[in-house]
């Protein structure tokens, strides 16, 4: 039997399926576009969105395989599910969802975060699952007493496919604080004491999914799971699954960034950097999450809710305008030309400023977002400066967190591996980010394969777990792969420093907009 490994990742805007062979090369790819929706003040996707999207993505991949190999895809050696980290999916004893799926983008958990962070002595970001659970308790929500488990999107899909309530340690580290590869026992005791007066029918340890490390087998595809994934009935049950992981973990795998002193930056709907450490930080920083690699190494994560959403909206409206005027309909071409124009703009944006907050931003203290674009009366208002400003704005909040790690903790990274939609146009965002962060940025030839390839690699790793994950990636996956590296340009760095001074002023305008523009 041919060794084939499948990875499926639920990204913010696309559900992607990647099938790889024994040499870890993609042999079939499929995808399905989807978008979150703001319903009743909650950023969410419906269950129909989840299952129809999963089936459409798998069907497209299977069709691609059949087209290339002239046979149906019926067996897979192993597979894995990955998805956007964090968020909140509480399930009852029958495995049914008790509320709408609350994604990482929701920032309504401030009260819970402010209580749990000092209680645990660990930064508890707004998007973490435990923050959502405690906020639901504070809100007096009826569903809380019916909870049998809380999980993430990856954990939920994995559970429905296998019947196993588990999470990979990387994804679990966005649910509850991790210590030595498992949930912190002290923090579990702290939480149970905090809610003891509620007399719930559950204790926290009972409702948290089991934690597994990379390489462990996390169940098998059931007959019902096979039909859920492939309603056509071609796929046989019994496929082994690796632990479900978050997109941050699969991004680290896909960029060979799981060993100490390596790091990567993922830039799409959200933007975040993951820096692998030898040990934890010296103290708590509200701007920094402590999570883990898929094999349990400590990671300092600078996560920003707002990445390219506002930037994409501007490109979309320019594309629409071009269609009205000239019948231009190639969106990819518009992206490429607009992005490349940014390289000819003024290094500091020429007196323009954007705060691209579509949603709240924990790192700068915003519970909601209002995308803003501003300019000085004498600004050099050109297409090049307009695009450069939008691109620089997408990196600005990330820069604030990265500065904390370098200046306060002495964290040094010799290069960052870049991946995600922002890097699709070759060399543009890569050059600007190198200048903004003063770190060389490398983009691999596999960057567009992304987290779906990463979770497929984790599925393949289940057959190689006798060696460390980092060694598996170094020797068996990346040894012959190449990438391009761009070093910081001093003019870009100086321009970005000037831009950041304007960005600080722009945040004051953002506060006024959030408070008053309703």
């Amino acid at each position: 039997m041919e060794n084939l490994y499948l990875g499926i990742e639920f990204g913010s805007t696309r559900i992607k399926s990647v099938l790889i062979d024994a040499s870890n090369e993609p042999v079939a790819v499929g995808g399905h576009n989807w978008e979150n929706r703001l319903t009743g003040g909650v950023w969410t996707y419906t269950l129909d969105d989840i299952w129809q999207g999963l089936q459409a993505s798998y069907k497209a991949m299977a069709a691609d395989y059949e087209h290339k190999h002239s046979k149906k895809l019926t067996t897979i050696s192993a597979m894995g599910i990955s998805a956007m980290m964090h968020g909140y999916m509480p399930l009852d004893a029958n495995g049914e969802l008790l509320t709408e799926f609350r994604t990482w983008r929701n920032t309504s958990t401030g009260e819970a975060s402010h209580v749990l962070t000092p209680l645990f002595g660990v930064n508890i970001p707004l998007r973490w699952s435990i923050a959502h659970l405690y906020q639901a308790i504070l809100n007096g929500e009826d569903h809380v007493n019916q909870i049998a488990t809380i999980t993430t999107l990856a954990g939920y899909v994995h559970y429905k496919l296998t019947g196993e309530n588990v999470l990979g340690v990387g994804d679990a580290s966005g649910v509850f604080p991790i210590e030595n590869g498992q949930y912190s026992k002290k923090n579990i005791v702290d939480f149970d004491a905090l809610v003891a007066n509620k007399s719930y029918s559950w204790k926290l340890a009972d409702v948290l999914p089991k934690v597994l490390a990379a390489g462990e087998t996390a169940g098998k595809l059931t007959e019902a799971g096979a039909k859920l994934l492939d309603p056509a009935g071609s796929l046989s049950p019994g496929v082994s699954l690796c632990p479900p992981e978050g997109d941050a973990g699969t991004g680290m795998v896909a960029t060979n960034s799981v060993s100490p002193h390596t790091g990567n930056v993922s830039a799409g709907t959200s933007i975040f950097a993951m820096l692998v450490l030898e040990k934890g930080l010296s103290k708590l920083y509200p701007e920094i999450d402590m999570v883990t690699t898929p094999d349990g190494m400590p990671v300092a994560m600078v996560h920003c809710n707002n990445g390219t959403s506002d930037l994409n909206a501007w490109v979309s409206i320019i594309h629409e305008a071009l269609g009205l005027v000239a019948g231009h309909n190639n969106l990819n071409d518009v992206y490429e030309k607009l992005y490349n124009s940014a390289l000819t703009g003024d290094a500091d944006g020429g007196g323009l400023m954007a705060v691209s907050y579509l949603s709240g931003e924990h790192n700068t203290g915003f519970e909601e977002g209002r995308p803003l674009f501003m300019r000085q009366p004498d600004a050099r208002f050109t297409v090049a400066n307009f695009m450069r400003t939008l691109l620089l704005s997408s990196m600005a909040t990330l820069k604030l967190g990265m500065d904390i790690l370098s200046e306060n903790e002495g964290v040094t990274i010799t290069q960052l591996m870049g991946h995600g939609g922002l890097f699709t146009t070759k060399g543009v965002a890569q050059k600007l980010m190198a200048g903004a962060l003063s770190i060389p940025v490398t983009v691999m030839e596999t960057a567009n394969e992304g987290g779906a390839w990463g979770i497929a690699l984790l599925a393949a790793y289940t057959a190689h777990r006798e060696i460390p994950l980092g060694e598996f990636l170094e020797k068996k996956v990346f040894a012959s792969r190449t990438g391009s590296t761009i070093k910081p340009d001093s003019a870009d760095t100086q321009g970005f420093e000037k831009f950041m001074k304007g960005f600080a002023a722009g945040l004051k305008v953002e506060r006024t907009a959030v408070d008053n523009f309703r």
Side-chain angles (χ1 to χ4, degrees), residues 292-341:
T292 79
T293 63
D295 58 345
M297 289 295 295
V299 175
M301 181 180 191
V302 182
H303 184 284
C304 310
N305 279 1
N306 295 278
T308 61
S309 292
D310 188 46
L311 171 60
N312 292 341
W314 279 110
V315 173
S316 179
I317 202 167
I318 292 171
H319 173 243
E320 183 181 348
L322 288 170
L324 291 173
V325 174
H328 197 291
N329 61 6
N330 190 325
L331 182 58
N332 291 333
D333 189 39
V334 173
Y335 265 105
E336 183 174 353
K337 285 182 166 54
L338 288 176
Y339 270 44
N340 275 288
S341 75

Side-chain angles (χ1 to χ4, degrees), residues 74-98:
T74 59
T75 59
I76 298 170
S77 300
M79 62 177 289
I81 300 295
S82 173
M84 301 165 280
M85 281 182 73
H86 320 309
Y88 183 61
M89 299 192 81
L91 309 179
D92 65 16
N94 296 316
E96 300 303 317
L97 190 61
L98 291 167

Side-chain angles (χ1 to χ4, degrees), residues 231-408:
S234 298
L235 181 63
S236 299
V239 179
S240 295
L241 273 80
C242 68
E245 265 299 347
D247 54 352
T250 57
M252 286 187 277
V253 171
T255 56
N256 193 21
S257 303
V258 300
S259 301
H261 306 295
T262 62
N264 78 88
V265 58
S266 174
T269 304
S270 63
I271 183 169
F272 54 88
M274 310 287 290
L275 310 181
V276 186
L277 311 176
E278 290 183 334
K279 60 180 180 179
L281 301 177
S282 65
K283 64 178 184 179
L284 183 154
Y285 298 95
E287 300 87 353
I288 311 296
D289 304 2
M290 286 305 300
V291 292
T292 79
T293 63
D295 58 345
M297 289 295 295
V299 175
M301 181 180 191
V302 182
H303 184 284
C304 310
N305 279 1
N306 295 278
T308 61
S309 292
D310 188 46
L311 171 60
N312 292 341
W314 279 110
V315 173
S316 179
I317 202 167
I318 292 171
H319 173 243
E320 183 181 348
L322 288 170
L324 291 173
V325 174
H328 197 291
N329 61 6
N330 190 325
L331 182 58
N332 291 333
D333 189 39
V334 173
Y335 265 105
E336 183 174 353
K337 285 182 166 54
L338 288 176
Y339 270 44
N340 275 288
S341 75
L343 296 180
T344 66
D346 294 312
D348 63 351
L352 310 181
M353 181 49 58
V355 180
S356 301
Y357 288 1
L358 186 68
S359 65
E361 190 59 73
H362 176 68
N363 282 351
T364 47
F366 287 93
E367 68 284 356
E368 298 177 22
R370 300 291 185 274
L372 295 176
F373 193 93
M374 300 170 283
R375 60 189 173 105
Q376 297 286 352
D378 60 347
R380 292 174 292 283
F381 195 26
T382 65
V383 170
N385 282 340
F386 177 73
M387 289 305 301
R388 192 178 186 100
T389 295
L390 290 171
L391 284 161
L392 294 182
S393 178
S394 72
M395 306 170 189
T397 307
L398 180 71
K399 169 68 171 174
L400 297 174
M402 294 291 284
D403 283 349
I404 291 173
L405 291 172
S406 60
E407 296 171 8
N408 295 13

Side-chain angles (χ1 to χ4, degrees), residues 155-166 218-222 225:
Y156 172 72
V157 174
H158 181 97
Y159 169 72
K160 290 294 186 180
L161 296 181
T162 66
E164 299 290 338
N165 182 29
V166 301
K220 294 184 180 295
L221 187 67
T222 64

Side-chain angles (χ1 to χ4, degrees), residues 6 33 69 72 76 168 179 206 246 320 402 436 439 493 516:
L6 174 63
N33 294 330
H69 301 274
K72 287 187 179 296
I76 298 170
E179 188 175 355
D206 300 327
E320 183 181 348
M402 294 291 284
I439 301 173
T493 298
N516 294 282

Side-chain angles (χ1 to χ4, degrees), residues 9 11 13-17 30-35 48-58 60:
E9 179 158 280
T13 59
R14 188 166 175 78
I15 304 171
K16 190 171 183 180
S17 300
H32 171 77
N33 294 330
W34 71 338
E35 283 288 350
D48 284 345
D49 293 336
I50 293 169
W51 297 118
Q52 291 173 12
L54 174 68
Q55 292 165 2
S57 179
Y58 179 86

